[in-house]
Amino acid sequence: MDKKYKDLVIIGSGPAGLAAAVYGKRAMLDEVVLEREMIGGGQIVTTERVDNYLGLYGIGGYELAEKFKEHADALQVPFLETGAETITDCGAYKEIKLENGDTIEAKAVLLATGATHKKLGAKGEEAFAGAGVSYCATCDGAFFAGKTVAVAGGGDVALEDALYLSGVCEKIYLVHRRDEFRAAKTLQEKVKNTTNIEFLPFYEIREIGGTETVEYIVLQNNQSREERKLEVSGVFIAIGMEPQSEILKGIAEMDERGYVKATEDCRTSAKGIYVAGDVRTKSLRQIITAVSDGANAVASIEQDR
Amino acid sequence: MAKRVSGEEFQTEVLSAALPVLVEFYSDSCIPCKQLSPILGGIEDDYEDKIKVVKVNVNFDADLAAEYKVMASPTILFFKEGKEVERIRGLVKRPELENVVKNFI
């Protein structure tokens, strides 16, 4: 077993983690970035198009992730292709056990693990995963060419998915538990003007069913309690995200949804442990705010040294 | 670079192939498929004489995907002597993929 000592261990290589890595290099910190996926980049990797990152209008999510990685590589940021299993707070230093069996001791740990797709919790959701239930419209839309599908959700991703699928599928039911969307107004406008998207407000998916693959969904109206069954070949789930904060349970304070409590300075309730990006409590989870967190976290780490 | 095979070529290129065949079902707009590409390329180079690597574009060959009940991209199917022997759904890391490959060569 190999033991290493670092000033800073950054867990996650999305925009927050990589921005922190760049600022860490500039602060001449002896640092390492842990990335569990072989190609990091976080959620933006699977975003088809990014329209709101300043200066790079319309860039593909994958391309933007590559640019972030190139930037870190140009500064010779070291990466380890492994995840963190546990963090032990030993006071002046933290011990990070890695999935590859190694251990790193670090003065500071920055958790930038982001968030992942939330599950609906509907009956049949797991049984039909990959058999009509999908969390990636751009990956799996082609399997539903000319068919009828449902999209669940009301945020940017749900509306983007519905719009993408409107060009591939015969009809899309957009199922949302409220009558208004969180999504950007421009997306709402586009959805309204797309004739093969039917909006079903106040409905929640209770069941996903079929024989070998998805054939129907059962919806329930959360106002009138009325149930209805719709014939669909696929269900795309985009109901939001949940934080990847498990590793800090019992170490740092979290809110009731599992986001690690921190303000703009990215300090957690545990000294020497910092959080950046979607995993922390904040009101706006975007690439630009994640990048900002990365910079602020390193500023705090430097101040606290 | 793995060859893209169409529905018409599937019999000769995959089912009647002398070597075991790894078939990746992918779609044009699928980013995990792009991420998988260099990994498949590596397997293709390192196991050149032992396994054949081909791709099926589901945007063009939806019937083939339907025939093999593939409904997620990427999905990797392994064929030996014309029969499907294993499948992996979703993005996979090189070591995991390599373990499966070693089972069939």
Side-chain angles (χ1 to χ4, degrees):
Chain A
M1 207 168 79
D2 188 16
K3 207 162 196 178
K4 299 182 184 83
Y5 302 89
K6 294 280 167 193
D7 291 331
L8 170 62
V9 171
I10 299 168
I11 307 172
S13 66
L18 292 183
V22 166
Y23 276 75
K25 266 283 164 189
R26 289 163 64 88
M28 295 179 73
L29 296 178
D30 180 13
E31 63 182 12
V32 65
V33 178
L34 308 184
E35 178 51 69
R36 191 186 255 135
E37 309 298 329
M38 65 219 132
I39 297 157
Q43 293 164 54
I44 57 166
V45 165
T46 51
T47 305
E48 197 193 6
R49 183 186 151 109
V50 177
D51 273 343
N52 54 3
Y53 194 77
L54 190 65
L56 296 167
Y57 176 71
I59 192 168
Y62 187 70
E63 201 187 336
L64 185 57
E66 279 183 326
K67 279 188 183 292
F68 288 166
K69 178 73 167 38
E70 278 165 23
H71 193 157
D73 285 342
L75 297 178
Q76 286 154 350
V77 169
F79 284 84
L80 277 179
E81 199 190 302
T82 181
E85 223 157 52
T86 57
I87 298 172
T88 312
D89 192 348
C90 308
Y93 68 94
K94 321 290 162 194
E95 193 181 87
I96 303 112
K97 243 201 195 131
L98 308 182
E99 283 171 358
N100 67 8
D102 290 349
T103 302
I104 305 181
E105 283 181 2
K107 286 181 200 149
V109 177
L110 175 63
L111 191 74
T113 40
T116 54
H117 301 290
K118 211 194 262 173
K119 300 237 162 101
L120 264 183
K123 189 180 164 197
E125 180 178 4
E126 290 198 11
F128 289 102
V133 172
S134 171
Y135 300 86
C136 179
T138 52
C139 301
D140 302 333
F143 297 106
F144 304 92
K147 295 183 176 161
T148 297
V149 298
V151 173
D156 285 349
V157 176
L159 270 64
E160 276 164 9
D161 282 0
L163 288 166
Y164 173 77
L165 294 166
S166 71
V168 181
C169 303
E170 165 91 21
K171 185 181 174 76
I172 294 99
Y173 293 107
L174 181 56
V175 183
H176 186 37
R177 62 192 166 134
R178 286 191 258 274
D179 67 341
E180 50 188 37
F181 298 110
R182 281 191 319 278
K185 293 276 185 301
T186 50
L187 288 170
Q188 297 187 30
E189 222 26 63
K190 278 188 204 161
V191 163
K192 250 186 233 162
N193 295 327
T194 306
T195 51
N196 62 345
I197 300 177
E198 184 181 337
F199 179 39
L200 299 174
F202 296 120
Y203 277 99
E204 292 176 32
I205 299 178
R206 289 278 172 248
E207 188 190 336
I208 300 167
T211 44
E212 282 186 341
T213 61
V214 171
E215 287 163 12
Y216 67 88
I217 49 174
V218 178
L219 307 178
Q220 188 178 43
N221 189 299
N222 58 26
Q223 309 285 307
S224 66
R225 297 283 145 205
E226 166 236 350
E227 279 200 357
R228 65 191 278 198
K229 193 171 168 180
L230 293 175
E231 281 182 23
V232 298
S233 307
V235 185
F236 290 86
I237 296 162
I239 53 163
M241 311 300 292
E242 57 189 9
Q244 299 278 88
S245 59
E246 189 71 27
I247 196 163
L248 287 186
K249 257 189 194 148
I251 298 175
E253 278 178 34
M254 294 177 194
D255 73 2
E256 67 287 348
R257 292 194 294 162
Y259 289 99
V260 182
K261 283 189 186 173
T263 56
E264 206 186 349
D265 65 17
C266 297
R267 291 183 177 99
T268 69
S269 62
K271 209 173 165 229
I273 297 178
Y274 305 80
V275 280
D278 284 4
V279 74
R280 82 167 172 96
T281 51
K282 52 157 71 180
S283 58
L284 183 64
R285 294 192 171 84
Q286 294 280 307
I287 302 167
I288 202 155
T289 65
V291 167
S292 159
D293 276 4
N296 278 315
V298 171
S300 296
I301 290 163
E302 277 203 276
Q303 280 168 21
D304 298 345
R305 283 181 91 190
Chain B
M1 185 74 184
K3 185 188 172 184
R4 196 194 120 201
V5 299
S6 66
E8 294 87 65
E9 295 163 317
F10 203 75
Q11 179 65 44
T12 43
E13 293 285 347
V14 177
L15 301 178
S16 309
L19 288 175
V21 191
L22 181 165
V23 186
E24 184 211 8
F25 285 77
Y26 72 102
S27 56
D28 291 330
S29 50
C30 160
I31 288 162
C33 304
K34 286 185 188 137
Q35 291 172 274
L36 186 60
S37 228
I39 296 161
L40 287 181
I43 294 285
E44 194 180 13
D45 291 344
D46 298 347
Y47 294 87
E48 206 179 349
D49 306 322
K50 295 183 177 125
I51 193 162
K52 186 172 169 181
V53 180
V54 300
K55 293 178 166 205
V56 171
N57 185 324
V58 302
N59 297 94
F60 291 95
D61 292 293
D63 293 347
L64 209 49
E67 189 183 334
Y68 287 97
K69 297 192 167 57
V70 173
M71 285 184 91
S73 299
T75 296
I76 298 170
L77 268 58
F78 291 86
F79 286 88
K80 206 170 182 179
E81 290 158 7
K83 286 199 177 65
E84 183 193 331
V85 285
E86 181 75 84
R87 71 168 62 196
I88 303 172
R89 205 178 67 211
L91 190 54
V92 61
K93 290 191 186 190
R94 160 104 192 196
E96 291 160 34
L97 182 60
E98 205 162 8
N99 280 342
V100 179
V101 168
K102 281 179 186 158
N103 273 340
F104 298 114
I105 56 173

